[in-house]
Amino acid sequence: MTISLDLPRHTDDTDVYYRRYVGLPTVDFSGKAGHPPGEVAWELGSADLDDFFDAVDTGQVRALVVGGWDADADTVVERLVAGAHRLPALRALFFGAIPQEAQEISWINQADVTPLLTAFPDLERLETRGGMGLRLAPVRHDRLRMLRIESGGLGGEVVRGVAACVFPALEHLELWLGVDEYGGDYTVEDLAPILTGDRLPALKHLGLQDSDRQDDVAAAVATAPIVARLDGLALSMGTLTDDGAEALLAGQPLTHLRRLDLHHHYLSDAMMARLRAALGSVDLDLEGQGDPEEYDGWLFTSVNE
């Protein structure tokens, strides 16, 4: 059964523990079953894994929300991979779903998530939170439809790894690029293979968000071949200014988009008016206008530490 790719309108404003995840109610395992295994998204800490496999008919489980490490994250990946044969119906996995009140996003120790893709060839949705220690090697996955990476700073090695993957079924790609101070040493050039779209023939939504280089990202996107195939584009959560918006207006037409998400930005009133006039048919999200003068010219991303 195909799982939902629906998301809250602003994922940066929403607790990572969604009340509903992939169209299913999210329930806390807490050592007890008590729910139809395939009709809920199971939320559990890594310490719960053994009890979960014992208490639940995991052959029916379609969605897992895993966070709260009791061991290093690579060991948690190993435990999930070792139990992959007991999760044949798994289609959605949020790995590292640790809310801010428990741990700041940039202090979450992550892992090499490549084995999760190789161990679960039927996985349709993979989401991760936290950039520290995150790794993804180039891999081909024929059924993945959504890949989301939430971070306060995404390493260039990870961006290049994503860009080198072959995802023929991927419809939604979302990267929170973040800031250099918290590990975001990516470059705009690292995004080039993504922007050609050669390895992403089914992509419908591209999010390159939360960047302290959002103007440069916007300029690269403005002429990117993949944009003509999209119905959704998100350059939100970052430090977008009039320079980046000018590049978008001067680039290829964007009127084919169903939605352009630019929320959390530093655009002037005049530029917002120009965007609305040029993109009248597009669902244009310009919420969260920041004031560059508020912090003496410093611009901040929505998510960093």
Side-chain angles (χ1 to χ4, degrees):
M1 182 181 295
T2 298
I3 51 91
S4 170
L5 300 187
D6 290 344
L7 286 166
R9 185 172 178 86
H10 293 163
T11 51
D12 52 320
D13 293 335
T14 305
D15 194 297
V16 294
Y17 288 101
Y18 303 126
R19 292 183 180 179
R20 294 187 65 83
Y21 181 59
V22 300
L24 303 172
T26 303
V27 299
D28 185 357
F29 169 62
S30 298
K32 300 178 181 179
H35 299 275
E39 297 180 18
V40 300
W42 293 95
E43 174 191 326
L44 63 157
S46 62
D48 300 322
L49 279 172
D50 292 339
D51 290 341
F52 180 71
F53 280 122
D54 290 340
V56 174
D57 179 4
T58 55
Q60 299 182 49
V61 170
R62 291 191 285 150
L64 289 178
V65 179
V66 181
W69 311 140
D70 69 317
D72 67 89
D74 283 301
T75 298
V76 181
V77 169
E78 291 172 5
R79 291 164 67 186
L80 283 168
V81 168
H85 64 289
R86 302 179 67 177
L87 292 163
L90 188 68
R91 297 294 180 270
L93 172 62
F94 196 144
F95 186 76
I98 303 171
Q100 183 180 12
E101 58 266 26
Q103 193 166 28
E104 297 286 356
I105 190 170
S106 292
W107 299 100
I108 296 173
N109 287 295
Q110 262 292 348
D112 183 352
V113 296
T114 317
L116 296 173
L117 289 173
T118 55
F120 296 99
D122 293 324
L123 199 68
E124 296 181 16
R125 179 167 169 167
L126 176 64
E127 294 165 82
T128 68
R129 182 172 175 86
M132 188 164 59
L134 182 67
R135 300 179 301 286
L136 176 61
V139 66
R140 180 186 178 101
H141 195 290
D142 288 328
R143 297 195 179 182
L144 195 70
R145 297 170 58 219
M146 174 184 281
L147 176 63
R148 293 184 63 251
I149 300 179
E150 299 182 357
S151 81
L154 200 55
E157 183 177 359
V158 179
V159 175
R160 291 188 293 273
V162 172
C165 287
V166 179
F167 294 132
L170 199 72
E171 299 174 28
H172 183 115
L173 175 61
E174 182 176 325
L175 305 178
W176 294 11
L177 297 166
V179 302
D180 184 70
E181 182 180 0
Y182 291 105
D185 63 359
Y186 60 90
T187 66
V188 174
E189 289 73 24
D190 292 333
L191 300 169
I194 295 172
L195 296 178
T196 67
D198 293 344
R199 300 183 179 101
L200 304 167
L203 200 70
K204 298 178 182 177
H205 175 92
L206 176 62
L208 300 173
Q209 301 161 243
D210 197 55
S211 176
D212 59 359
R213 285 146 270 177
Q214 202 73 61
D215 283 347
D216 294 334
V217 173
V221 167
T223 58
I226 199 170
V227 173
R229 296 197 271 110
L230 301 177
D231 61 28
L233 175 63
L235 302 172
S236 56
M237 303 167 53
T239 59
L240 187 71
T241 72
D242 285 6
D243 290 341
E246 189 69 57
L248 290 176
L249 289 172
Q252 62 192 297
L254 299 175
T255 51
H256 67 287
L257 293 174
R258 180 183 58 81
R259 184 162 191 261
L260 176 59
D261 180 6
L262 302 179
H263 86 272
H264 184 96
H265 59 82
Y266 295 89
L267 303 177
S268 66
D269 291 342
M271 179 55 74
M272 289 194 292
R274 287 181 60 193
L275 286 167
R276 291 189 181 104
L279 302 171
S281 62
V282 178
D283 177 8
L284 179 61
D285 189 343
L286 292 173
E287 292 183 26
Q289 180 188 27
D291 180 2
E293 302 305 318
E294 184 175 358
Y295 297 102
D296 298 323
W298 288 94
L299 307 182
F300 296 95
T301 60
S302 176
V303 176
N304 40 72
E305 184 177 6

